[in-house]
Amino acid sequence: MKSIILFIGVLLLWPLAALAHAHLQQAVPADGSTVASPPAQFTLKFSEPAHLTALSVQKQGEAHPQRIAPLPTTASAQFSVPAPPLAPGVYELRYRVISADSHVVSGSLHFTVAKP
């Protein structure tokens, strides 16, 4: 009986634990978007304040991602970071943040810079 009560308790609390981590709510450029010109900056909006610890962009077909630095040093729910010059092509923007609850959250999004 105790194990059933414990199991039900875990099931009820699981969604609350999942909400404790920062998750990406919005990005510019948006995931899956095609932009007419290279973005001047990348904007990432999270569900809660977090520390941005890594950001890189990689063009499809290139061997290595390009690290983006410097990164903001204070926690925030939204980051705007200058983008490097980007040629037309398909890109993956990768990010890593540390949530207020100290969990590392990473992810990526894809966008295309159209040919002029």
Side-chain angles (χ1 to χ4, degrees):
M1 184 68 169
K2 277 186 174 180
S3 59
I4 291 173
I5 292 171
L6 179 63
F7 179 72
I8 291 171
V10 169
L11 285 178
L12 292 174
L13 293 175
W14 185 262
L16 295 176
L19 293 174
H21 308 315
H23 64 275
L24 186 65
Q25 292 183 317
Q26 185 178 14
V28 178
D31 189 27
S33 68
T34 298
V35 295
S37 59
Q41 64 184 12
F42 297 121
T43 301
L44 303 172
K45 182 179 178 185
F46 292 90
S47 59
E48 66 181 57
H51 288 279
L52 183 62
T53 60
L55 188 64
S56 65
V57 65
Q58 185 172 4
K59 186 176 182 184
Q60 189 175 51
E62 290 187 354
H64 301 286
Q66 180 179 357
R67 285 185 169 186
I68 298 171
L71 298 177
T73 57
T74 58
S76 179
Q78 183 169 317
F79 301 98
S80 292
V81 180
L86 301 176
V90 177
Y91 289 88
E92 180 180 22
L93 181 66
R94 296 182 191 137
Y95 61 87
R96 185 178 64 227
V97 297
I98 298 178
S99 296
D101 64 358
S102 300
H103 283 91
V104 176
V105 178
S106 59
S108 66
L109 58 97
H110 298 84
F111 65 94
T112 301
V113 176
K115 293 181 182 179

